[in-house]
Amino acid sequence: MFVAIMLVSPASAQTTAPVQTAWRLLDYVAVDYPEAVKGGQIVSPTEYAEMTEFSASARERITSLASSSAKADLARRATALERLIAAKAPAEAVGTAARSLAADLIAAYPVPLAPAVAPNYPRGQALFNQNCASCHAMTGDGKGPKSVGLDPPPIAFIDKARARERSRFAFYQVLEQGIDGTSMESFADRPLQDRWDLALYAGTFAFPARVRTH
């Protein structure tokens, strides 16, 4: 069930976007790093380049935030995460560092993590079919007609391992901001509720038996 999380926060409107972006980038590092490095070796140069770019971008956004008692430690840990990636550290170490940093970032600079109105599954399905299926496919396997030749390829939402690691908030963030260096564009021009409806639907492909349509 989606519940609106309205948090009293020191974060201003100018702070909210960098915090959300940094959180999204850290989430991507935690989920996708295992596809970039295995056994201390780069197995996907494209993915590894993204991990390097995303971690650097997250650090830059964290260091640009308003002063707080937590900022210096968050910045230090963001730099440490970059070093882990540069050293091709094990996925467990990178994932733990990225997730704990993301969690403490939100704790220090709270932002809304859920919509005020519960997302609508049928509307999300319709929006996905109209706007996303050409790349991600109607089945969510990432092999839509426009996916051919895309590098990196569209995410396969049917991947259960990835789905277990990715929250609806993460899907929402991608829809709002897009992903630099990929074909995934921002949906920021769409109404907020459309983005949440899409986030709900995109997150159901891996576990269709859990879907509720009301």
Side-chain angles (χ1 to χ4, degrees), residues 47-125:
E47 289 282 0
Y48 185 71
E50 283 192 344
M51 298 301 97
T52 301
E53 178 185 350
F54 289 175
S55 60
S57 185
R59 173 184 49 77
E60 290 168 2
R61 283 165 171 77
I62 289 171
T63 57
S64 73
L65 294 173
S67 296
S68 78
S69 59
K71 179 179 175 181
D73 181 62
L74 293 171
R76 176 189 62 77
R77 289 161 61 190
T79 298
L81 175 62
E82 284 188 279
R83 290 173 178 163
L84 284 173
I85 293 171
K88 305 176 188 63
E92 183 178 356
V94 171
T96 297
R99 289 190 180 91
S100 64
L101 176 55
D104 289 345
L105 172 64
I106 290 293
Y109 297 90
V111 296
L113 301 180
V117 178
N120 183 292
Y121 176 86
R123 177 159 174 73
Q125 182 178 30

